[in-house]
Amino acid sequence: MSTMNAIVFSEFGGPEVLKLKTVSKPSPSPGFALIKVQAFGINHAELHMRRGEWNLYNPISGLECVGTVSACPSGEFAEGNVVAGLMGGSGLIRPGSYGEYVNVPISNVVKLETSLPWEQLAALPETYCTAWTCLFTLLGLKAGERLLIRGATSTIGQAALHLAVNTGAVVTATTRQVHRFDTLRQMGAQEVWVEEAELDKKHNIEPMTAAWAVDKEDGKVARFDKTLNLIGNRVLLESISLTRPGGRMTQAGWLGGLDPVVDFNPMLQMDPGVHFSLFHSKVLGTKEFPLEAIPLQEIVSKIEQGKWDAKPASVFEYQDIRDAHRLADEGTVGGKIVVKH
């Protein structure tokens, strides 16, 4: 039986539980592409899996990768094709990309033509596929619309900012990192706010006003057409209130933690008329959210041409996976962390 190296955890805890081991190499299977992993991005969910805070996990973690096709029994990809593989149960119900090889369902593999180095390519798949789906499948973002991105210096936030500005949206971005205001403006944000509670009061946003109210709220700033909330439950209700009736708010992150909304009562707490949706990237590649609908090749080409800066914030060698997780645990890196072979 063939073997390979893999980063494995057999108990929950800090980065120290990640260990390099020799394991069985997966066999090629019909309906799957066996990918030789060249690099992979570290995802927030993988930290929770390592700590025992996730409902699904595999001892060989890893939700995404880039590499070359080693085998594809059903013939959809040729041996040697450069591909991105993401989700499809990798790192959840089957071994993931922390192994040297990984089996990924055909529906979750995208062939790419690119000369980007592996570590730069690895920063893109999950991040840009998630951002694109949130903006265009769920929010239905169009040119000229006012978009609020909460958590814009996160990896998905930066990708969403690139995509939204490219579409012609008028973007307001939030971050706790004041020193990165200029970066967000250079990326195309029209306004940049400190990410904090009560944004509506601090920025004079109009409240929901009943037709019979005397106060017409003259001088107030109009609510946003669309809101992308990457902070999570902590600002869920507030993000709805920042969005106009008929507008849309999508939540796709938990930068503010996983705690639920306390004593949630929609009838009393939610403003009416705002369309709210939730997105988990684990559904990418399903029939409801097919990867073919996402222009990943076009996105990669734009980055290769230098139109967008999407370089990883930090790159680690395979044997230094613990250091990569330590940095990710700190939550201060402000970009994608990538591990390469």
Side-chain angles (χ1 to χ4, degrees):
M1 180 182 291
S2 298
T3 61
M4 68 174 185
N5 289 324
I7 296 158
V8 182
F9 65 91
S10 56
E11 60 181 324
F12 299 129
E16 68 278 359
V17 303
L18 299 170
K19 302 183 187 304
L20 185 61
K21 294 186 176 182
T22 300
V23 301
S24 297
K25 177 183 172 182
S27 300
S29 302
F32 289 78
L34 181 62
I35 299 173
K36 178 173 175 50
V37 179
Q38 298 291 343
F40 56 86
I42 300 291
N43 290 285
H44 201 187
E46 293 158 15
L47 310 182
H48 290 287
M49 294 173 198
R50 189 203 72 220
R51 299 177 193 135
E53 300 168 347
W54 211 249
N55 62 334
L56 289 174
Y57 73 92
N58 189 280
I60 301 176
S61 194
L63 302 177
E64 64 174 322
C65 70
V66 294
T68 54
V69 174
S70 176
C72 183
S74 44
E76 289 88 349
F77 299 97
E79 183 177 348
N81 280 165
V82 173
V83 294
L86 62 155
M87 302 305 166
S90 297
L92 295 170
I93 61 174
R94 65 178 65 87
S97 58
Y98 285 18
E100 285 187 297
Y101 290 84
V102 60
N103 260 329
V104 181
I106 294 301
S107 60
N108 292 79
V109 180
V110 181
K111 180 183 174 183
L112 296 169
E113 300 288 341
T114 180
S115 61
L116 286 174
W118 290 118
E119 59 267 29
Q120 187 170 358
L121 189 62
L124 308 181
E126 193 272 347
T127 297
Y128 274 85
C129 286
T130 298
W132 192 95
T133 301
C134 289
L135 291 180
F136 303 112
T137 301
L138 298 176
L139 289 176
L141 186 66
K142 297 179 176 59
E145 290 187 317
R146 296 174 61 244
L147 169 70
L148 174 64
I149 302 176
R150 303 193 71 167
T153 46
S154 65
T155 54
I156 294 173
Q158 292 179 64
L161 180 53
H162 281 311
L163 292 166
V165 170
N166 183 69
T167 298
V170 180
V171 182
T172 295
T174 77
T175 179
R176 293 177 301 170
Q177 303 176 38
V178 177
H179 65 281
R180 301 194 69 187
F181 273 29
D182 286 344
T183 297
L184 293 174
R185 291 191 184 101
Q186 290 166 8
M187 292 172 67
Q190 294 292 310
E191 291 189 79
V192 183
W193 297 348
V194 173
E195 174 54 51
E196 55 187 339
E198 299 187 329
L199 288 180
D200 53 345
K201 295 178 181 177
K202 291 182 172 64
H203 296 280
N204 204 33
I205 304 296
E206 62 180 0
M208 179 68 72
T209 304
W212 39 261
V214 175
D215 183 4
K216 297 301 183 183
E217 303 297 340
D218 290 340
K220 294 286 188 179
V221 176
R223 297 182 182 202
F224 293 91
D225 299 304
K226 309 287 168 65
T227 298
L228 177 58
N229 171 21
L230 302 173
I231 304 301
N233 293 337
R234 181 164 57 80
V235 298
L236 188 158
L237 293 171
E238 182 183 283
S239 295
I240 291 174
S241 71
L242 289 165
T243 310
R244 67 170 175 81
R248 302 184 190 182
M249 193 282 278
T250 290
Q251 181 166 305
W254 57 92
L255 297 173
L258 289 169
D259 291 341
V261 179
V262 178
D263 298 325
F264 181 43
N265 189 328
M267 184 62 73
L268 297 180
Q269 293 174 290
M270 288 180 67
D271 285 345
V274 179
H275 301 270
F276 166 55
S277 61
L278 182 72
F279 185 71
H280 294 292
S281 60
K282 65 184 179 183
V283 300
L284 288 169
T286 62
K287 63 180 181 180
E288 293 85 3
F289 298 95
L291 289 184
E292 308 92 79
I294 302 171
L296 187 58
Q297 178 64 64
E298 179 183 334
I299 291 167
V300 168
S301 296
K302 282 183 180 292
I303 292 166
E304 190 170 345
Q305 294 161 13
K307 294 181 179 179
W308 299 337
D309 182 2
K311 295 182 180 68
S314 191
V315 179
F316 290 84
E317 298 294 330
Y318 190 60
Q319 66 270 18
D320 297 323
I321 184 69
R322 293 179 179 179
D323 292 333
H325 268 242
R326 287 190 187 99
L327 182 60
D329 279 342
E330 292 175 6
T332 58
V333 69
K336 194 79 170 184
I337 298 172
V338 167
V339 175
K340 67 174 184 176
H341 287 268

